[in-house]
Amino acid sequence: MPASSSRLSSYRLPAFALALLLLLGVGIASVWGVSSLRTSNEWIGHTYEVINRIEVAERAIRSTEANARAYRLTGHPEFRSQYLIATHQVDTAHEALASAIRDNPAQHARVKRMREAAQAHLVELRRLFDLQELQGAEAARQATNSTLTLRQWNEFDTAASEMRREELRLLDQRKARSDRSATLLSAIVVLGMLLSGGLMISLMVSVTRENKRARRLELEARGAAHEMALSMAQVGELSKQRHELARYSGLLQSCQTLDEIVQLSIDTIRRLVPDASGRFYLIRASQNFHDSVASFGDHLISSPDSLMPADCWALRRGQAHMVSGEEARQLSCAHLDTGTPAPGITSLCLPLSAQGTSIGLLHVSAATDAMDHGSAVDELIGQLAEQLGLAIANLQLRETLRTQSLRDPLTGLFNRRYLEESLARELQRCERRNLPLSVLMLDVDHFKRFNDTHGHAAGDALLGQVGRQIQAGVRAEDIACRYGGEEFTVVLPELDAAGALVRAEQIRRAVEIATVQHLGQQLGPVTMSIGISTFPGDGLTPEVLLQLADATLYRAKAEGRNRVLHVSYDD
């Protein structure tokens, strides 16, 4: 770089700083000047206001004098009214004038003189007015003291003239100050803009020359940078993929449902391998086939909705199995399309397992170029499959534990805790949709006697049989619970009282005709008493509905047992 350019470069930062300081100074000066002008204008406006109030005070006293004189001469009631109004306006005008010049002691003294003179004159006018009211206009005219009136007027006019002259002097002074501020502000702004503009232009010229020089150097280095970019792109892509996998691991820990896990896995696979397609399979409880739970993409290689473990090499071997179109000697899985994989397409099957137990299968197909990119995509998807298997296993374990915590182990029905949670939720849902909801409270008749006669084991068998009968007699959306002991509760969403009576009667009859097998003996039959309450007619809260259903249940037992009663049953 030439020496002259180096010397100029060393002055750029100071020049730029100086230009900024100039612009800052111009800004500060502008703010100060505008503030000064605003203040000056406010004082000028104040002066005009004071002058106007002086004139208002003069007009008020003159109006009072004129109306009083007209009333003495004519006796007309209109002039009398105008006089009384003008008398009040004199005080108001002097109060407003005194408020306007309260910050000026000299002017305040003059206002005081004006007010005293006006008050003295008003007293004289009041004396004549009262005389006219009592003795007539002629007596008031004869009692008029012109000398006194003239002296009062002179005192008033003198004070008003002095105030006006003082305000005019202040007006000239404030206008001159405003003009000086405006002139100074203009000079500062123009000078600052010229200096800062000149510095900025010089800097622009210097920077433009430097940019031309830098572009030449950039062209020389572009070839080397391009080669480096190609190598860094591969590293960056691999880093991005590993970042996606790390992100997947973090989010996977927060998933609470299988749908969330599957959707997160699909999104991550599509980020790792754009345009990929495939399916997720989970093994069924029978352990003899895998069923599809989700699919994604355009299915470059199709796979059926269900498959047997023997149809997939990955499930047989317990490890990943990849087949590419160019590798004809590799074995293709039986669950894939006949004649696949197609040229340019790679198929990858990954078993999902946890702690040595098979859970399912992940099948992915994509363009071979995408799968082989960086020779690490299959490894990354394999790591994803390992984490996916563990996440699904943990979710299934959590669901199992949750189910156990909400189910009664003896009857298989939901427990009381689940009832309290679900009843409140279903009640809110039905309330939002203006739908009914019914609650059944069921109790096995003479259960204590049955227990004492046949033993606790037989009593448990009876409760299990009753639980199965209740479960068989309700809909999928109904909630059947063991409330405690031999007492059961059924929540019937969207079912009114009439429907609940029909459903309860079906359950009562099913229990009545059923028998209990225990230790080779046939026990029973037994009967049930059932009480019903319905939202919204019988109650609006879970507590009220349960209490009313329970009370109706005991009413049914008191009336002879083995019957169904609604809370509004008419005796």
Side-chain angles (χ1 to χ4, degrees):
M1 185 179 294
S4 59
S5 177
S6 299
R7 287 196 299 269
L8 289 175
S9 299
S10 62
Y11 289 110
R12 285 177 189 162
L13 185 58
F16 183 71
L18 180 59
L20 285 180
L21 287 175
L22 286 171
L23 289 175
L24 180 61
V26 169
I28 293 173
S30 299
V31 173
W32 170 81
V34 170
S35 177
S36 178
L37 287 173
R38 185 184 295 113
T39 303
S40 297
N41 289 334
E42 289 175 355
W43 279 111
I44 290 171
H46 176 73
T47 302
Y48 280 121
E49 181 185 0
V50 172
I51 293 173
N52 180 63
R53 292 188 184 278
I54 293 172
E55 294 176 354
V56 170
E58 289 179 335
R59 285 198 299 270
I61 192 64
R62 293 183 189 280
S63 175
T64 304
E65 169 66 24
N67 284 295
R69 184 177 299 172
Y71 181 59
R72 287 196 301 272
L73 294 175
T74 64
H76 197 281
E78 178 67 22
F79 293 116
R80 180 181 183 276
S81 300
Q82 293 297 327
Y83 161 75
L84 294 175
I85 295 173
T87 301
H88 176 69
Q89 291 175 347
V90 170
D91 290 335
T92 303
H94 281 85
E95 288 176 1
L97 179 58
S99 175
I101 52 87
R102 60 183 178 275
D103 56 338
N104 190 329
Q107 291 289 72
H108 196 275
R110 296 185 182 97
V111 170
K112 184 177 180 181
R113 287 167 50 202
M114 284 179 62
R115 192 167 192 174
E116 290 174 350
Q119 290 296 330
H121 188 58
L122 288 177
V123 169
E124 176 62 17
L125 292 178
R126 184 67 184 181
R127 182 182 69 81
L128 297 175
F129 175 81
D130 293 340
L131 185 62
Q132 182 174 352
E133 292 290 307
L134 295 173
Q135 301 180 16
E138 184 63 30
R141 284 194 294 271
Q142 291 178 2
T144 301
N145 190 341
S146 301
T147 303
L148 177 61
T149 301
L150 182 60
R151 185 174 67 252
Q152 292 170 346
W153 269 111
N154 288 336
E155 291 176 0
F156 182 84
D157 285 340
T158 299
S161 298
E162 290 177 359
M163 283 194 69
R164 188 179 290 104
R165 283 195 300 273
E166 177 63 17
E167 290 300 324
L168 291 174
R169 183 187 68 80
L170 291 173
L171 179 63
D172 293 338
Q173 181 181 349
R174 290 164 181 169
K175 284 183 176 180
R177 184 183 302 116
S178 177
D179 293 339
R180 287 195 300 272
S181 297
T183 302
L184 179 60
L185 175 61
S186 299
I188 292 175
V189 171
V190 171
L191 182 60
M193 293 300 292
L194 288 176
L195 291 176
S196 59
L199 286 172
M200 288 295 183
I201 291 173
S202 299
L203 287 171
M204 287 291 294
V205 172
S206 176
V207 171
T208 301
R209 291 175 180 174
E210 191 68 26
N211 286 341
K212 290 180 180 179
R213 210 174 284 113
R215 281 196 294 271
R216 287 198 298 269
L217 293 174
E218 181 183 356
L219 291 174
E220 295 174 1
R222 185 169 296 174
H226 180 67
E227 295 178 0
M228 183 177 293
L230 291 177
S231 61
M232 290 299 294
Q234 295 180 351
V235 176
E237 184 66 21
L238 182 60
S239 175
K240 178 182 176 182
Q241 291 171 343
R242 294 195 179 279
H243 173 73
E244 288 294 339
L245 190 61
R247 176 178 175 273
Y248 172 76
S249 301
L251 293 175
L252 197 61
Q253 304 302 318
S254 302
C255 291
Q256 297 183 348
T257 64
L258 179 62
D259 290 341
E260 289 181 352
I261 292 175
V262 170
Q263 188 58 49
L264 175 62
S265 302
I266 290 174
D267 294 341
T268 304
I269 292 173
R270 298 298 292 269
R271 290 191 182 95
L272 293 175
V273 189
D275 301 325
S277 64
R279 281 187 182 275
F280 291 85
Y281 295 90
L282 286 183
I283 192 168
R284 289 308 177 190
S286 59
Q287 302 290 316
N288 59 2
F289 75 98
H290 288 68
D291 197 11
S292 174
V293 294
S295 63
F296 60 96
D298 297 328
H299 299 293
L300 301 177
I301 298 177
S302 297
S303 183
D305 291 338
S306 62
L307 58 89
M308 303 298 292
D311 293 340
C312 181
W313 284 100
L315 294 175
R316 292 189 204 177
R317 300 165 62 211
Q319 62 186 38
H321 184 70
M322 178 183 286
V323 180
S324 297
E326 292 81 4
E327 300 171 354
R329 285 184 288 182
Q330 288 194 3
L331 294 176
S332 176
C333 295
H335 63 89
L336 301 180
D337 289 343
T338 305
T340 58
I345 303 298
T346 294
S347 170
L348 178 61
C349 294
L350 295 154
L352 304 178
S353 61
Q355 299 178 352
T357 302
S358 178
I359 295 176
L361 175 72
L362 170 61
H363 172 248
V364 179
S365 62
T368 301
D369 293 341
M371 294 289 284
D372 291 341
H373 180 70
S375 301
V377 172
D378 57 341
E379 178 184 351
L380 293 173
I381 297 181
Q383 295 176 13
L384 181 146
E386 292 178 5
Q387 299 180 36
L388 176 60
L390 290 173
I392 293 176
N394 290 334
L395 179 64
Q396 291 174 343
L397 178 60
R398 288 199 302 270
E399 285 298 319
T400 300
L401 294 175
R402 180 178 179 275
T403 300
Q404 292 175 353
S405 69
L406 298 177
R407 291 280 184 180
D408 174 56
L410 179 60
T411 63
L413 302 180
F414 290 111
N415 56 26
R416 187 167 180 172
R417 171 189 169 191
Y418 185 81
L419 168 67
E420 293 171 351
E421 295 176 356
S422 302
L423 178 56
R425 181 182 66 249
E426 290 296 327
L427 192 60
Q428 290 178 357
R429 183 177 66 82
C430 290
E431 184 177 6
R432 286 196 303 268
R433 300 182 180 181
N434 294 322
L435 295 173
L437 179 144
S438 296
V439 176
L440 308 184
M441 191 68 76
L442 311 91
D443 188 87
V444 179
D445 295 330
H446 301 299
F447 178 75
K448 184 178 184 302
R449 186 171 61 190
F450 184 93
N451 236 6
D452 294 340
T453 303
H454 303 286
H456 290 290
D460 289 346
L462 171 62
L463 293 178
Q465 174 68 17
V466 170
R468 289 189 290 274
Q469 294 294 333
I470 293 174
Q471 187 65 61
V474 299
R475 304 166 299 174
E477 62 269 26
D478 298 335
I479 303 170
C481 308
R482 183 183 180 187
Y483 195 73
E486 70 274 18
E487 200 167 7
F488 301 85
T489 305
V490 179
V491 179
L492 305 171
E494 305 181 16
L495 203 63
D496 57 13
L501 283 168
V502 172
R503 184 73 57 185
E505 185 62 29
Q506 292 173 352
I507 295 174
R508 187 198 64 77
R509 285 199 303 269
V511 172
E512 184 180 22
I513 64 177
T515 57
V516 180
Q517 297 290 334
H518 178 65
L519 298 179
Q521 295 183 351
Q522 183 171 316
L523 308 177
V526 296
T527 60
M528 296 195 77
S529 299
I530 305 176
I532 305 174
S533 62
T534 302
F535 167 86
D538 302 331
L540 302 178
T541 65
E543 295 78 9
V544 171
L545 291 174
L546 288 172
Q547 290 173 3
L548 290 176
D550 193 55
T552 308
L553 165 65
Y554 280 96
R555 183 177 174 184
K557 296 176 80 67
E559 293 182 5
R561 295 181 172 83
N562 193 25
R563 63 192 61 212
V564 177
L565 287 183
H566 182 250
V567 68
S568 59
Y569 175 75
D570 189 1
D571 290 332

